[in-house]
Amino acid sequence: VWLIRLPRVLLALAVGMALSVCGVVMQAIVQNPLADPYVLGISSGASLGATLAIMLGIGSFLGGNSVGVTAFIGAMIPSFAVIAIANMGGKATSAKLILAGMAVSAVCSAFSNFVIYITNDKNAATEVMKWSMGSLAGASWARVGVMLPVTLICVVIFWTQYRNLNLMLLGDEVGTDLHRLRTCYLIVASVMIGFAVYCAGVIGFVGLVIPHVVRILFGTDHRRLLPLSALLGASFLIWCDVACRVILKNSEMPIGVLVSIIGAPCFIYLLVRKSYGFGGSK
């Protein structure tokens, strides 16, 4: 219980909170309801880092943490690259950020596929695919000791900024200079996602769906949206991890697969059943 179960529950809690809150923040920053924590190419960059570690042995001197550390670096570099590109030729806007993120994501995916193709190692390619689906099987107190404090601190920071996040949904025409705040929020969110990738691989869908579910049920004010998304995201990922261990006999389902299977139908049901608003007017 102490060495295996409890660290895994706490890691699921921290990762679920990080993904959900970053989803809320990213959707506000880029003013796009389809944005998720990986919208800035973080997912593709992390996959590229993991691919380089698994296929080419880069970072092997780090021992058992080589894949996680290189994935963390791969997640952070594209984030800062997107911010730099979006600020070229003027201040970064929501449209420039999402377009820069799409471009950087395409480049990282292309390089990752190129490395897999030239290496031609089927076993390593399978390992890359498994890692990209996400897993909490590597949970330990060391990882919890890193992930949980980072998540809690960043969530509190974002919670104190709920007024500015509400303003961001209204656009850059509200008369407030949101450029500097947008850049700061992106950096903090990228750090959270970088650590989540390091601890659990790439787990999609949580950061996209959980914020929308909370908006549908409780409204769009970030004062309530942020803490409720954190709680729901943590609970959702904990129970998904439990289900991953019991659905298949003598095997563990990748948590990213189960999250999508469960989350998508529930999200569609709530969407068609309830009236829904994305902006700050509701």
Side-chain angles (χ1 to χ4, degrees):
V1 171
W2 180 255
L3 296 177
I4 299 174
R5 298 301 186 197
L6 187 56
R8 188 157 178 162
V9 170
L10 292 177
L11 186 62
L13 180 146
V15 172
M17 289 179 66
L19 293 175
S20 302
V21 170
C22 283
V24 172
V25 173
M26 289 294 186
Q27 287 163 12
I29 288 173
V30 302
Q31 297 170 253
N32 190 326
L34 297 179
D36 70 354
Y38 304 116
V39 71
L40 299 186
I42 300 175
S43 174
S44 298
S47 296
L48 176 59
T51 299
L52 294 175
I54 294 171
M55 307 294 285
L56 303 180
I58 293 177
S60 57
F61 63 92
L62 297 169
N65 290 323
S66 61
V67 177
V69 173
T70 52
F72 173 80
I73 296 171
M76 295 300 297
I77 291 176
S79 304
F80 293 116
V82 167
I83 294 172
I85 293 170
N87 280 284
M88 291 180 179
K91 293 181 179 180
T93 62
S94 57
K96 289 173 69 177
L97 283 167
I98 199 164
L99 290 173
M102 291 173 63
V104 171
S105 179
V107 171
C108 291
S109 296
F111 272 106
S112 181
N113 291 333
F114 176 71
V115 171
I116 292 173
Y117 178 76
I118 63 173
T119 306
N120 196 26
D121 186 338
K122 293 183 179 180
N123 292 330
T126 302
E127 188 68 23
V128 171
M129 183 184 69
K130 288 182 179 179
W131 184 90
S132 65
M133 292 179 182
S135 175
L136 296 168
S140 64
W141 281 113
R143 293 191 174 185
V144 171
V146 172
M147 187 69 212
L148 191 57
V150 168
T151 299
L152 293 177
I153 291 171
C154 293
V155 168
V156 171
I157 290 173
F158 283 132
W159 197 7
T160 62
Q161 301 297 307
Y162 70 88
R163 290 187 179 89
N164 292 323
L165 290 168
N166 285 338
L167 284 175
M168 285 182 180
L169 285 182
L170 299 176
D172 295 311
E173 299 81 16
V174 295
T176 303
D177 185 9
L178 302 174
H179 164 68
R180 185 175 298 176
L181 289 173
R182 185 179 280 116
T183 301
C184 292
Y185 295 168
L186 285 173
I187 292 173
V188 175
S190 297
V191 170
M192 289 179 72
I193 297 303
F195 278 107
V197 165
Y198 162 70
C199 292
V202 179
I203 302 175
F205 210 77
V206 177
L208 173 63
V209 172
I210 296 298
H212 288 305
V213 172
V214 177
R215 284 192 190 97
I216 290 169
L217 297 177
F218 301 102
T220 59
D221 185 358
H222 284 84
R223 182 169 55 180
R224 289 179 297 175
L225 181 59
L226 284 163
L228 291 173
S229 294
L231 292 173
L232 183 58
S235 302
F236 179 68
L237 205 63
I238 287 172
W239 286 108
C240 282
D241 183 51
V242 171
C244 284
R245 301 197 304 268
V246 300
I247 288 177
L248 300 178
K249 187 177 181 180
N250 300 324
S251 180
E252 181 176 323
M253 179 183 292
I255 192 167
V257 176
L258 184 64
V259 164
S260 298
I261 292 173
I262 295 175
C266 295
F267 177 53
I268 293 171
Y269 171 74
L270 288 170
L271 193 61
V272 299
R273 182 174 174 269
K274 294 261 188 177
S275 59
Y276 177 63
F278 176 67
S281 60
K282 183 176 178 180

